[in-house]
């Protein structure tokens, strides 16, 4: 039984804002925001929950790292792309946290978080950890395709019109799976 503070819709609990289209069908309007606070502290606080199976915690780690990603620019030159608040929150984030961004996205998707699944599907370079990873390990592409179809099926089954359209497109084009009109 849910208390009055817990939304009945699981995606709302996960920070996802949806536009209902009728019945179970919806479009994702907002994929959630990066948690407030010092990046290192936020990640350390969320990590035990994420490792224990909390998809929202994994996805929020991914979002926080994404907020700080401009720090990875050559020589820190990309810092100017950060606003003052992000600069303060991201100042001391270790490089290994930044490098693990795609791992947290992948984990959140595996844990069933709708936002993580849809971002995973929509941005293969992010999900695969960059084009360099594809060249180092081409098998990741085969696994990515399998996971993409699994996540699209899961999200479409929950009512995501975005996922349903991408699922149909995957079969029509035949890039992620065997072509089947």
């Amino acid at each position: 039984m849910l208390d009055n503070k817990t939304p009945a819709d699981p995606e709302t609990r996960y920070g996802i804002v949806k536009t209902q289209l009728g019945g179970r069908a919806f479009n994702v309007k907002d994929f959630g925001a990066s948690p407030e606070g010092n990046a290192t502290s936020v990640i350390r606080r969320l990590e035990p929950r994420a490792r224990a199976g909390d998809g929202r915690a994994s996805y929020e780690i991914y979002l926080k790292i994404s907020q700080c990603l401009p720090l990875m620019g050559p020589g820190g030159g990309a810092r100017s792309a950060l606003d003052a608040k992000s600069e303060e929150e991201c100042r001391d984030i270790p490089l290994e946290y930044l490098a693990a961004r795609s791992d947290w996205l992948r984990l959140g998707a595996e844990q069933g978080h709708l936002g993580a699944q849809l971002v995973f599907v929509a941005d293969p370079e992010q999900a695969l950890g960059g084009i360099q990873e594809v060249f180092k390990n081409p098998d990741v592409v085969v696994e990515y395709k399998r996971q993409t179809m699994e996540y699209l099926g899961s999200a479409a089954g929950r009512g995501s019109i975005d996922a349903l359209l991408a699922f149909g497109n995957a079969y029509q084009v035949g890039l992620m799976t065997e072509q089947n009109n």
Side-chain angles (χ1 to χ4, degrees):
M1 183 169 168
L2 299 174
D3 60 32
N4 289 339
K5 295 179 186 175
T6 305
D9 180 2
E11 274 63 73
T12 302
R13 279 197 315 265
Y14 294 149
I16 304 294
V17 178
K18 303 183 310 189
T19 302
Q20 286 301 132
L21 301 174
R24 290 184 332 166
F26 65 88
N27 279 337
V28 175
K29 183 177 173 182
D30 184 348
F31 283 88
S34 171
E36 297 282 327
N38 174 274
T40 302
S41 299
V42 166
I43 293 167
R44 286 183 181 151
R45 176 179 49 84
L46 292 171
E47 190 170 5
R49 289 184 17 222
R51 297 212 184 274
D54 184 338
R56 181 177 182 167
S58 299
Y59 183 62
E60 286 181 346
I61 291 172
Y62 161 79
L63 291 174
K64 192 63 177 180
I65 293 170
S66 295
Q67 174 190 353
C68 298
L69 196 60
L71 291 173
M72 284 188 80
R79 285 180 185 265
S80 62
L82 290 176
D83 59 35
K85 180 180 176 204
S86 291
E87 173 75 32
E88 179 64 28
E89 290 182 359
C90 297
R91 184 171 5 121
D92 68 345
I93 189 169
L95 285 177
E96 58 267 17
Y97 282 11
L98 293 169
R101 181 176 75 134
S102 63
D103 297 335
W104 290 110
L105 175 62
R106 181 178 301 277
L107 183 59
E110 288 171 5
Q111 293 167 328
H113 188 278
L114 177 68
Q117 289 179 338
L118 293 176
V119 170
F120 181 93
V121 167
D123 194 345
E125 187 173 344
Q126 216 174 133
L128 294 171
I131 194 74
Q132 291 175 341
E133 188 60 33
V134 172
F135 287 116
K136 286 194 296 188
N137 184 4
D139 291 338
V140 300
V141 175
V142 173
E143 180 62 11
Y144 172 77
K145 288 179 176 186
R146 185 197 65 73
Q147 289 174 319
T148 291
M149 294 307 289
E150 179 183 322
Y151 298 153
L152 284 175
S154 170
R158 290 152 79 177
S160 171
I161 295 298
D162 302 306
L164 187 59
L165 291 171
F167 202 58
N169 188 48
Y171 277 107
Q172 182 180 19
V173 173
L175 186 61
M176 290 295 163
T177 191
E178 189 175 317
Q179 188 174 18
N180 183 343
N181 289 322

